[in-house]
Amino acid sequence: MFIKFNKMSNKFTCVEDFEKYAAGTLPRMVLGYYQSGACEEYTLSINKKAFNKLRIVPRVLRDVQNRDLSVTVQGVQVKVPIGVSPCAMHKMAHEDGECGSARAAGNHGAIFILSTLSTCSLEEVAEKAPDTVKWFQLYIYKDRNLTASLIKRAEKAGYKALVLTVDAPVFGIRYKDIKNNFTLPSHLKLGNFSNELSKMNNTSGSGLTKYVMSLFDDRLVWDDVKWLKSITSLPIIVKGILNATDAKIAADLGCSGVFVSNHGGRQLDTSPATIEALPSIVKEVGHRIDVYLDCGIRHGTDVFKALALGAKMVFLAQPILWGLTFNGQKGAEEVLNIVINEFDNTMALTGCVSLDQIEKDMVVHESLYSKI
């Protein structure tokens, strides 16, 4: 199922090439926001490095001619176990914004998760990417009527699940945003809101942090998940889980999935990489509900490793923004091309023709070999 690359960008052979392009193109304030992590960015750095500590042990001499990468997720079959994770304000990268990212995902048969803090409204994305399987990422605002209205709008627009972010009662301390006085550029607005909620005030320090502190509910507890379940029939997936005990609580409350995530290393610095936290969470709840993972995925081999350790799907965030920066929707499609092709290649080289043939013992920690 190899996909041909757009000739225009055939010099770009990996995700890193797109990131380098974006780093030389985006304004400093925007690049700093997209690229940065919390404090000294230790967790940001290990999100990727932790994947490199894992070794893939292939099987050979198995017929791999006909490979199938499809998976059924929340009752819907998608073509690949790779989706687009929620990230805010895509129009800072390119005018195509979240509509372009959603169409790119749909053209690959992938799931797209729209952020509450998107620069295209959830209705606009639904209209312009009608064939894409879409989930809506939700922050709970202090104004519960506002929160409920977002959910009702998502239901009406055809979103298939709610992804509740739970690791941001306050926003992490991000040095680059503070130094750059980050705020949403004045020509843009948050698409899901009107009036003052659609803008961030120009201020010293991070305008986004001040927006969050003034509007998001920092009293969020597990009872609020029960409240969500009482007002919607959509599956609820809890995002920001790094602890197996929290994963069990989510499963016990009837959530449909947990999302192993450290918010791209942007919240609590020195928290574990997601691939490090994944095995314990899978062991605790993987037999009951779906377990998803984001943060640090840059290669098809990363996808394979996460699935081998029990993730049902993985999701990309930053790489999509780098693709958008390069060439809007087409650039995002090409980034997905690269990762999907690499994953398909990994499947072939490990002797797997379907996702259920990916076995846990195909991935081992490097320490196993260092002892030999």
Side-chain angles (χ1 to χ4, degrees):
M1 61 168 287
F2 290 101
I3 303 167
K4 293 182 179 179
F5 293 110
N6 187 324
K7 292 182 180 179
M8 183 173 65
S9 64
N10 58 9
K11 62 181 179 180
F12 288 1
T13 59
C14 61
V15 169
E16 184 181 8
D17 290 338
F18 286 87
E19 182 173 7
K20 288 178 179 177
Y21 176 87
T25 304
L26 289 170
R28 184 181 68 175
M29 182 185 73
V30 174
L31 179 66
Y33 172 72
Y34 281 160
Q35 204 173 42
S36 65
C39 295
E40 293 188 344
E41 301 184 337
Y42 177 79
T43 296
L44 176 69
S45 70
I46 65 171
N47 272 337
K48 291 186 285 187
K49 291 177 181 177
F51 278 101
N52 291 332
K53 293 181 179 293
L54 299 175
R55 304 287 177 258
I56 296 175
V57 184
R59 298 292 304 278
V60 297
L61 295 177
R62 306 208 294 189
D63 184 353
V64 295
Q65 182 176 15
N66 298 307
R67 298 182 296 284
D68 177 11
L69 307 186
S70 66
V71 62
T72 298
V73 184
Q74 302 300 328
V76 178
Q77 187 177 53
V78 292
K79 292 181 179 178
V80 291
I82 301 165
V84 176
S85 203
C87 46
M89 300 174 279
H90 286 206
K91 279 192 174 182
M92 294 195 303
H94 191 277
E95 62 183 7
D96 285 355
E98 290 84 2
C99 291
S101 301
R103 288 194 296 265
N107 286 343
H108 286 285
I111 293 172
F112 175 81
I113 308 177
L114 181 70
S115 170
T116 293
L117 300 180
S118 58
T119 41
C120 297
S121 73
L122 61 90
E123 290 87 0
E124 184 182 6
V125 172
E127 178 185 354
K128 294 187 177 179
D131 299 326
T132 302
V133 177
K134 296 173 289 293
W135 297 351
F136 183 66
Q137 177 270 332
L138 181 70
Y139 287 113
I140 292 186
Y141 282 70
K142 294 176 182 178
D143 182 346
R144 293 305 172 91
N145 290 329
L146 175 62
T147 305
S149 72
L150 286 169
I151 294 169
K152 297 305 178 187
R153 287 168 59 191
E155 291 174 338
K156 184 177 180 180
Y159 289 75
K160 301 300 183 185
L162 292 178
V163 179
L164 174 65
T165 294
V166 296
D167 62 356
V170 298
F171 260 27
I173 297 170
R174 305 169 189 173
Y175 294 156
K176 288 178 183 176
D177 285 354
I178 296 170
K179 291 177 180 178
N180 294 332
N181 296 323
F182 174 78
T183 190
L184 182 65
S186 59
H187 68 285
L188 297 175
K189 66 177 184 177
L190 298 176
N192 289 319
F193 306 100
S194 58
N195 303 323
E196 69 276 5
L197 294 184
S198 69
K199 294 287 186 178
M200 293 176 197
N201 294 327
N202 291 317
T203 181
S204 61
S206 171
L208 176 61
T209 296
K210 293 179 180 179
Y211 177 95
V212 166
M213 294 291 285
S214 65
L215 296 171
F216 287 11
D217 194 344
D218 59 0
R219 301 167 299 172
L220 196 64
V221 294
W222 287 108
D223 279 346
D224 294 303
V225 177
K226 296 179 183 178
W227 171 72
L228 280 182
K229 287 183 64 63
S230 74
I231 65 171
T232 183
S233 60
L234 289 176
I236 295 174
I237 298 157
V238 180
K239 185 177 190 291
I241 299 294
L242 294 172
N243 187 298
T245 300
D246 286 336
K248 183 179 184 301
I249 295 172
D252 289 345
L253 288 174
C255 293
S256 298
V258 292
F259 216 123
V260 181
S261 176
N262 56 35
H263 216 105
R266 299 157 72 80
Q267 283 298 99
L268 177 63
D269 202 18
T270 74
S271 63
T274 54
I275 195 66
E276 294 173 332
L278 177 65
S280 64
I281 292 170
V282 168
K283 182 179 179 180
E284 184 67 46
V285 301
H287 59 292
R288 299 174 60 190
I289 58 176
D290 285 354
V291 178
Y292 311 117
L293 177 142
D294 71 357
C295 307
I297 300 288
R298 294 296 183 273
H299 304 281
T301 49
D302 298 336
V303 180
F304 186 93
K305 292 171 183 178
L307 267 57
L309 295 183
K312 187 71 173 285
M313 278 191 67
V314 302
F315 291 80
L316 310 173
Q318 280 184 334
I320 301 302
L321 298 173
W322 309 145
L324 273 180
T325 302
F326 173 69
N327 194 25
Q329 176 186 335
K330 292 182 179 179
E333 286 184 21
E334 292 188 37
V335 166
L336 285 167
N337 272 349
I338 287 172
V339 178
I340 292 170
N341 275 318
E342 288 180 353
F343 176 59
D344 181 63
N345 180 260
T346 304
M347 290 282 286
L349 293 176
T350 54
C352 298
V353 296
S354 60
L355 303 189
D356 60 6
Q357 292 187 349
I358 302 175
E359 299 173 355
K360 183 178 180 180
D361 61 6
M362 288 179 167
V363 171
V364 299
H365 194 270
E366 65 177 5
S367 59
L368 176 69
Y369 291 98
S370 66
K371 295 176 183 178
I372 297 175

